[in-house]
Amino acid sequence: MFDADVILVGGGMVGLSLALAAGQAGLSVRVLDAAAPGASLSEAFDGRVSALGRVSSRLLAALGVWRLLEPDAQPIYDILVSTGRLRSGPSPLSLHFDYREGEGETAGQPLGHIVENRHLRAALHGALHDHIGMISVQANAQVVSVAPDAQGVEVCLSEGSRVRGRICVAADGRESRLRQAAGIKCVAWDYGQCGIVTTVHHTKPHGGLAHEYFLPGGPFAILPMTGARSSLVWTEPAGRARALIGLPQAHFESELRARFGGQWGDISCDGPRWIYPLSFHHARDYVGPRLALAGDAAHTIHPIAGQGLNLGLRDAAALAEVLVDAHRLGLDIGAANVLSRYQAWRRFDNVSLSVITDLLNRLFSNASPLVSMAREMGLGLAGGIGPLRRLAMRHAAGDAGTLPRLLSGNPL
Ligand SMILES: Cc1cc2nc3c(=O)[nH]c(=O)nc-3n(C[C@H](O)[C@H](O)[C@H](O)COP(=O)(O)OP(=O)(O)OC[C@H]3O[C@@H](n4cnc5c(N)ncnc54)[C@H](O)[C@@H]3O)c2cc1C
């Protein structure tokens, strides 16, 4: 009667991670994605990288993805957070996270990894090959509506076909059509900012340094990639960002040089440039009748701290665990009490990180001299207190709170 236990709408990085977690543990999963086959694997699809915390890499290892991804992953050894002005360089008061400060099981471990999204997508698709019997992926499958009933849920595609499962998971991104169709309201606002993303080549090695540099226009993140390359996430007010990405190469590079400083040597940037409008969304409910939201469909945050995907992966691990536990007990995996366990588990982590990233952006995108002085002093102060720094490092790695089994290195 059911095409699969779980009908998963959205084969992005969160959707595929959840499909692997649930499929490995014995649930059948049908992934429906609107994009054309292989579209998300092309180089032109997504120029972004993702900063993955330790806990996210642990999940990917448990899913058989990390072994395919690791050769292309750049370890992060240092994170420098500083404020500054154009051409005058960073202020001396900064916050420095150093992997050498790790204690216990994190001793000697990098603070995280930078992976190119295209490599992560390819590794997720590669890992699916080991689960062909349990997980199927259908491309060109635009879902238009979902109809729950007492036993299951019917998912309708734009070309008229229907697929039936016990539960539907919406991992269909920030504009989630399923969230809207279910009438789930969001707290949402537009930041009026865009993130410019591009890859920069430099003549000096980066040594695994990620630099979050807060400039008057907005955060300017330099993220180390494999080789002598770094990825840029450059936040500016929307109008200025649109003007910047249209600049001729020499002019664009001179804008970059004014912000980079000499540490990376000479820089060049002749590849494509991407632009992402930035907004905040947080769903008031993560669940509805036989429906659960995961990843950006439930919450979209500012990329200032590189945490959006990390949160989505934690959703995937928690939802898989809740569904698999219910399945093993012979319970209905789409029942309201099963889904509310997922919502209760994920709410605090998601809300707190969403609020923190929002406040950070408001604080660091504010040009007032008073605010600027206060944040410089705040950074200097936080940098000087070892235990506070180490606590922040644990939270950034995702290693706090009650972790799903897959995130603690245990099997599902
Ligand atoms: C500039 C920038 C930098 C970032 N950097 C980081 C970082 O360093 N670290 C980090 O953790 N996060 C980062 N993020 C956030 C991260 O990219 C997102 O949180 C993540 O991509 C969300 O993944 P997702 O799978 O939930 O959604 P998406 O990637 O949006 O995937 C949604 C999928 O659903 C499919 N779909 C949509 N509608 C339908 C439909 N109706 N029917 C069927 N399929 C549908 C789409 O085709 C797509 O494949 C960054 C974000 C930005 C903008």
Side-chain angles (χ1 to χ4, degrees), residues 10 13-14 33-34 48 50-51 141-143 171-172 296 306-310:
M13 296 180 286
V14 172
D33 197 276
R48 288 174 297 179
S50 293
Q142 170 95 39
V143 172
D172 53 345
D296 273 23
Q307 288 293 337
L309 176 62
N310 287 287

Side-chain angles (χ1 to χ4, degrees), residues 125-148:
H125 279 274
L128 287 174
H129 290 308
D130 296 337
H131 305 281
I132 286 168
M134 294 307 284
I135 308 170
S136 64
V137 181
Q138 188 178 334
N140 285 331
Q142 170 95 39
V143 172
V144 288
S145 66
V146 174

Side-chain angles (χ1 to χ4, degrees), residues 87-116:
R87 290 171 226 282
S88 62
S91 131
L93 290 176
S94 60
L95 179 57
H96 179 204
F97 299 100
D98 185 334
Y99 86 107
R100 294 163 205 86
E101 284 192 56
E103 291 168 337
E105 64 175 53
T106 64
Q109 298 290 316
L111 298 171
H113 287 85
I114 300 289
V115 298
E116 292 174 54

Side-chain angles (χ1 to χ4, degrees), residues 19-354:
L20 282 166
Q24 279 182 357
L27 288 170
S28 58
V29 185
R30 172 82 73 93
V31 180
L32 303 172
D33 197 276
S40 69
L41 301 178
S42 96
E43 251 183 74
F45 183 78
D46 184 350
R48 288 174 297 179
V49 299
S50 293
L52 293 180
R54 257 193 309 270
V55 161
S56 297
S57 317
R58 216 182 280 154
L59 170 69
L60 296 174
L63 300 181
V65 176
W66 189 248
R67 68 190 158 82
L68 304 172
L69 185 61
E70 196 172 14
D72 294 310
Q74 168 62 46
I76 305 170
Y77 295 118
D78 295 270
I79 301 176
L80 183 66
V81 184
S82 57
T83 59
R85 311 213 141 257
L86 277 192
R87 290 171 226 282
S88 62
S91 131
L93 290 176
S94 60
L95 179 57
H96 179 204
F97 299 100
D98 185 334
Y99 86 107
R100 294 163 205 86
E101 284 192 56
E103 291 168 337
E105 64 175 53
T106 64
Q109 298 290 316
L111 298 171
H113 287 85
I114 300 289
V115 298
E116 292 174 54
N117 286 3
R118 66 190 174 107
H119 288 144
L120 176 51
R121 290 177 205 277
L124 285 162
H125 279 274
L128 287 174
H129 290 308
D130 296 337
H131 305 281
I132 286 168
M134 294 307 284
I135 308 170
S136 64
V137 181
Q138 188 178 334
N140 285 331
Q142 170 95 39
V143 172
V144 288
S145 66
V146 174
D149 56 45
Q151 281 78 39
V153 57
E154 196 159 79
V155 174
C156 304
L157 278 72
S158 56
E159 26 70 25
S161 64
R162 286 157 200 271
V163 183
R164 195 166 162 78
R166 295 175 197 276
I167 180 182
C168 174
V169 176
D172 53 345
R174 94 175 160 175
E175 302 303 336
S176 175
R177 182 164 188 164
L178 268 64
R179 182 186 69 219
Q180 293 169 29
I184 298 177
K185 298 265 179 295
C186 265
V187 179
W189 52 81
D190 192 331
Y191 282 112
Q193 295 174 313
C194 288
I196 300 170
V197 171
T198 192
T199 299
V200 174
H201 295 259
H202 32 83
T203 50
K204 289 192 185 165
H206 49 57
L209 169 71
H211 188 185
E212 184 68 273
Y213 189 17
F214 294 109
L215 288 161
F220 185 85
I222 306 170
L223 306 170
M225 300 167 77
T226 49
R229 302 178 303 150
S230 292
S231 173
L232 206 64
V233 184
W234 178 4
T235 308
E236 288 279 350
R240 179 155 166 72
R242 293 209 169 86
L244 282 165
I245 59 154
L247 288 177
Q249 187 184 332
H251 196 157
F252 187 74
E253 285 176 345
S254 96
E255 290 286 344
L256 293 184
R257 282 190 191 101
R259 290 162 175 83
F260 259 74
Q263 181 168 352
W264 285 262
D266 194 18
I267 59 162
S268 59
C269 176
D270 56 4
R273 303 166 196 166
W274 282 267
I275 183 161
Y276 296 89
L278 304 179
S279 60
F280 178 101
H281 288 76
H282 205 105
R284 290 187 193 273
D285 295 298
Y286 300 169
V287 298
R290 295 197 176 271
L291 177 73
L293 310 182
D296 273 23
H299 42 73
T300 306
I301 62 175
H302 196 285
I304 189 167
Q307 288 293 337
L309 176 62
N310 287 287
L311 284 182
L313 294 177
R314 301 213 277 276
D315 290 349
L319 182 53
E321 183 166 323
V322 165
L323 298 181
V324 166
D325 285 353
H327 179 64
R328 287 185 182 149
L329 291 171
L331 303 174
D332 175 1
I333 62 169
N337 60 343
V338 171
L339 298 185
S340 60
R341 197 183 146 217
Y342 161 66
Q343 166 157 299
W345 196 352
R346 292 301 304 143
R347 179 80 86 186
F348 180 73
D349 186 27
N350 285 333
V351 169
S352 41
L353 250 164
S354 300

